[in-house]
Amino acid sequence: MRRLVFVLVISCLASVAFAQDRLEDITAPSSPASALIGVQPQSVLSPKSYSALEAALFSNFLNSRGETVLPNDFGIEFTPYWASDHSLSIEEYLYPQNVWSGQIVRNSSFSMATTQNFRLADSTTTSGLSAGYRTTLYIGNKKDREVIDRFRQQIAKNQKVQARIGAGANQLVFQPEIQSRSDFIEAIRPVIADALEDLYMVDSTQLIEAQVNTILADSSTLPTYNSDVDGFLDAFMNMVDQNLTEADRKLNAQQVFDNFKAYIKNRQGFSLDVAYGFFLNFPANNFSSAVAPRHALWVTPSYRFKDDMSRLKLMGVFRFETYNTGYYKEYFPTSEVFEHNFDYGIAVAGDFERFSLQIEAVGRSGNALIPAGRDQQGNQLFRKAGRSDFQAIGTFVYRLNDRLALTYSLGDSFESIVNSENTLVSLLSLNFGFGGPTREDISE
């Protein structure tokens, strides 16, 4: 029964998520909060999508007996800017002039993760909560400018035909030889044909004539041509607006949007993620016992290659962590914990139509000052201690649709504080995306 309920919930979420036509596809869960609480094994924070809200379930969904279990580790990430609609030009979307409002604020997201299964050294199960913030800076380049110009021209074509027909109609109604509705229709035909040739850039007279006939198919319903020129023109332009290859204009707009979406997915160039997060533990499982044993700061540079290698992305990670050694001495007395840890490494990712792959290799250097007695004057002496560690993790992401992604991670992680021998990573997760920029948010 629990398995059936779980499948139904996932199916409903998938259908709801699929209902929106969004600019960017969902990616693997990658938030500072989930990384700090330990439910997300990757050290490299991949740039997130522009979904207004992302929710992730971290679990293998099966217990040791092969039974379906509901996950108790959750993570969410909220991007306030995309929670409401915005009308941005392609240029402002790709190449914002104001770094503060156009990049830092727009790309800011806040994350939170929870677990009901954070174990202390004595096997006590406690609750954990983490929160994080991050933003992304994109460095514009020549390619972006070229794309902006190309898409602007494509979108402008959708409006050019109607504008030219309207200008031609305004000239015709004041010509003395136009005495009737049929005179006007015959005179406007070459104007429409010329405008369509410019839009479609074809020399097929038969195709152009068919389109002209489609536009003028309802001309018999126009009012009688008389002294009410304005009324006749309004009725004529309404007919043109309805019949001006409505399907083709929609197709053109959708094609522009799809091309733009594909470019955003594989947008070449350099970006920089900056993130911060902290972890709260509740050892006594009540709010008054809250303590923050861990803080972290990330800097993640990324570079997407161009042309034939546009599916490849190279990422680096620099993460600085601080640990509350007093907390770990009390609740993990036999574990060796260093006050400061510095992680550094790289990741290579490949994005394809329905799936993506990422492999990361990250090293860790930890250090702390250890009490080493006192000198003759009674001053405390310290010695510097350190250690190094390494993790390698591969991640496979399959997008069930553009709002729902299934992720599996496998690899060898850093030594854990509770059980240093258990470094195997094998984790399945689901990531849901809601909201975010749509075609209506991007204009010429």
Side-chain angles (χ1 to χ4, degrees):
M1 182 64 182
R2 293 179 67 188
R3 179 174 298 179
L4 176 61
V5 171
F6 177 75
V7 172
L8 289 175
V9 169
I10 296 302
S11 300
C12 291
L13 285 172
S15 63
V16 170
F18 188 69
Q20 301 293 327
D21 188 9
R22 300 295 173 184
L23 183 62
E24 289 195 289
D25 295 338
I26 194 69
T27 58
S30 174
S31 73
S34 298
L36 267 187
I37 206 170
V39 295
Q40 171 190 306
Q42 296 91 344
S43 294
V44 178
L45 296 184
S46 303
K48 72 180 294 292
S49 72
Y50 278 157
S51 297
L53 178 67
E54 292 186 22
L57 310 179
F58 298 92
S59 173
N60 283 324
F61 302 103
L62 297 174
N63 61 19
S64 58
R65 297 187 297 275
E67 300 170 340
T68 304
V69 294
L70 297 181
N72 59 9
D73 297 334
F74 300 92
I76 61 172
E77 189 163 14
F78 176 58
T79 305
Y81 184 87
W82 292 115
S84 58
D85 294 333
H86 298 273
S87 181
L88 298 176
S89 67
I90 291 179
E91 182 172 13
E92 179 61 20
Y93 184 91
L94 285 179
Y95 210 112
Q97 298 301 308
N98 189 307
V99 175
W100 171 253
S101 61
Q103 295 222 45
I104 295 177
V105 173
R106 184 193 303 174
N107 299 333
S108 290
S109 64
F110 301 87
S111 57
M112 181 175 292
T114 65
T115 180
Q116 304 297 317
N117 194 34
F118 185 79
R119 293 184 179 275
L120 304 179
D122 61 1
S123 297
T124 300
T125 301
T126 66
S127 299
L129 172 69
S130 62
Y133 164 84
R134 71 168 161 178
T135 190
T136 304
L137 296 175
Y138 289 97
I139 309 301
N141 52 45
K142 181 180 178 181
K143 183 70 172 179
D144 276 350
R145 288 297 188 188
E146 294 174 354
V147 169
I148 290 169
D149 291 339
R150 185 169 70 250
F151 284 123
R152 181 187 287 129
Q153 292 170 8
Q154 287 179 289
I155 293 176
K157 282 183 179 179
N158 297 330
Q159 303 168 344
K160 187 180 296 184
V161 170
Q162 189 169 358
R164 287 184 56 178
I165 293 174
N170 275 284
Q171 293 178 1
L172 286 176
V173 294
F174 294 107
Q175 294 182 9
E177 61 269 23
I178 305 299
Q179 297 293 322
S180 66
R181 181 174 62 192
S182 59
D183 291 341
F184 177 86
I185 295 301
E186 288 304 312
I188 199 68
R189 278 182 172 274
V191 175
I192 299 174
D194 289 343
L196 291 176
E197 286 181 11
D198 288 343
L199 174 66
Y200 292 106
M201 293 183 292
V202 296
D203 297 326
S204 173
T205 303
Q206 185 177 3
L207 174 61
I208 295 299
E209 185 65 25
Q211 294 295 330
V212 172
N213 290 335
T214 299
I215 293 172
L216 299 176
D218 300 324
S219 59
S220 61
T221 63
L222 292 175
T224 302
Y225 193 84
N226 52 36
S227 58
D228 185 12
V229 174
D230 290 338
F232 180 83
L233 281 176
D234 287 342
F236 172 74
M237 292 309 298
N238 285 334
M239 179 192 71
V240 170
D241 184 51
Q242 294 176 10
N243 296 344
L244 178 57
T245 58
E246 183 69 21
D248 289 331
R249 287 196 290 117
K250 287 184 177 180
L251 180 61
N252 286 338
Q254 184 64 47
Q255 184 178 19
V256 170
F257 177 76
D258 291 341
N259 291 339
F260 185 56
K261 181 176 179 178
Y263 176 74
I264 289 296
K265 181 179 178 181
N266 296 315
R267 183 183 180 187
Q268 73 166 86
F270 180 79
S271 64
L272 184 70
D273 263 40
V274 179
Y276 166 78
F278 64 90
F279 168 56
L280 286 177
N281 181 228
F282 304 89
N285 283 322
N286 57 61
F287 194 79
S288 60
S289 68
V291 61
R294 189 179 177 192
H295 300 257
L297 176 69
W298 283 264
V299 177
T300 307
S302 303
Y303 183 80
R304 169 84 64 178
F305 294 94
K306 62 181 180 179
D307 299 331
D308 293 340
M309 298 181 64
S310 62
R311 295 186 181 277
L312 292 180
K313 180 169 60 178
L314 181 65
M315 293 171 286
V317 63
F318 303 94
R319 179 172 67 176
F320 179 74
E321 291 184 295
T322 61
Y323 286 78
N324 183 338
T325 54
Y327 163 87
Y328 287 99
K329 285 180 181 179
E330 180 176 357
Y331 296 104
F332 300 89
T334 61
S335 299
E336 184 180 36
V337 177
F338 290 87
E339 183 178 5
H340 304 294
N341 284 292
F342 179 65
D343 297 346
Y344 49 91
I346 62 171
V348 178
D351 292 323
F352 302 91
E353 185 67 27
R354 300 290 296 180
F355 69 93
S356 62
L357 294 169
Q358 177 177 313
I359 299 176
E360 72 169 53
V362 181
R364 168 172 290 178
S365 176
N367 64 79
L369 295 177
I370 308 298
R374 296 181 181 274
D375 61 16
Q376 294 179 351
Q377 287 74 36
N379 298 317
Q380 180 70 60
L381 298 177
F382 296 89
R383 64 179 178 87
K384 188 173 182 179
R387 71 170 180 181
S388 60
D389 202 352
F390 177 80
Q391 80 170 19
I393 296 176
T395 301
F396 173 80
V397 182
Y398 183 79
R399 284 179 287 275
L400 301 174
N401 55 55
D402 61 354
R403 300 286 88 194
L404 181 63
L406 183 67
T407 303
Y408 179 69
S409 297
L410 178 66
D412 187 41
S413 70
F414 294 128
E415 292 183 2
S416 66
I417 293 176
V418 179
N419 184 359
S420 61
E421 300 300 323
N422 185 11
T423 61
L424 175 66
V425 171
S426 179
L427 178 68
L428 187 67
S429 61
L430 277 171
N431 202 28
F432 305 90
F434 305 91
T438 66
R439 190 173 80 183
E440 286 69 28
D441 290 314
I442 308 299
S443 59
E444 180 188 349

